[in-house]
Amino acid sequence: MSANTNRHEIAVARYFEAWNAAEPEELAKAVAAAWTADGSYTDPLADVGGHEQIAAVVAAAHEQFPGFAFRLAGAVDGHHDTARFSWELVNEADGSAPVAGFDVITLDSDSRIRSVLGFLDRVPAGA
């Protein structure tokens, strides 16, 4: 494993720590650890910037899908300051994954996320 690949995997691990943080204080710390202060998050449902707005998007996902966790689905693929990876939103009670997608992240020189471009591959009707 190259140092560059490890850099991408560590950034993605911090990303999932933020998405799976349940308590507001834990979420704020995880978002600050994963993203730059001016970092952004964009997907078909959100286009936000800064730690507070990113944390609000994560909290809204937890409200919409209580008892679910975000999980990496496959390997992280990265080069230079960019990585892509697939994920699933998994029901912790029964293992089902009604939501899935992939994200592309751009990192700064400290391996913190500058931007996320998210794509939804599977979304339940009415979500």
Side-chain angles (χ1 to χ4, degrees):
M1 176 183 318
S2 74
N4 211 33
T5 300
N6 189 43
R7 172 181 182 233
H8 298 122
E9 290 175 352
I10 290 169
V12 170
R14 285 194 310 253
Y15 176 79
F16 281 107
E17 287 175 17
W19 275 99
N20 289 319
E23 299 301 321
E25 186 175 309
E26 176 189 10
L27 174 56
K29 287 180 182 179
V31 167
W35 270 269
T36 61
D38 61 346
S40 64
Y41 177 85
T42 303
D43 71 12
L45 306 173
D47 186 8
V48 299
H51 293 169
E52 286 184 22
Q53 290 184 5
I54 293 167
V57 168
V58 172
H62 284 281
E63 288 176 20
Q64 185 174 5
F65 294 97
F68 284 74
F70 286 89
R71 302 280 188 253
L72 184 64
V76 175
D77 181 24
H79 61 81
H80 298 88
D81 292 333
T82 304
R84 66 179 178 167
F85 53 93
S86 296
W87 53 265
E88 294 180 317
L89 184 59
V90 179
N91 183 322
E92 294 182 306
D94 67 14
S96 65
V99 182
F102 79 92
D103 292 349
V104 177
I105 62 173
T106 304
L107 305 176
D108 73 357
S109 60
D110 293 324
S111 299
R112 290 177 62 212
I113 298 169
R114 287 188 301 169
S115 68
V116 176
L117 298 175
F119 297 84
L120 301 173
D121 296 326
R122 182 174 61 242
V123 179

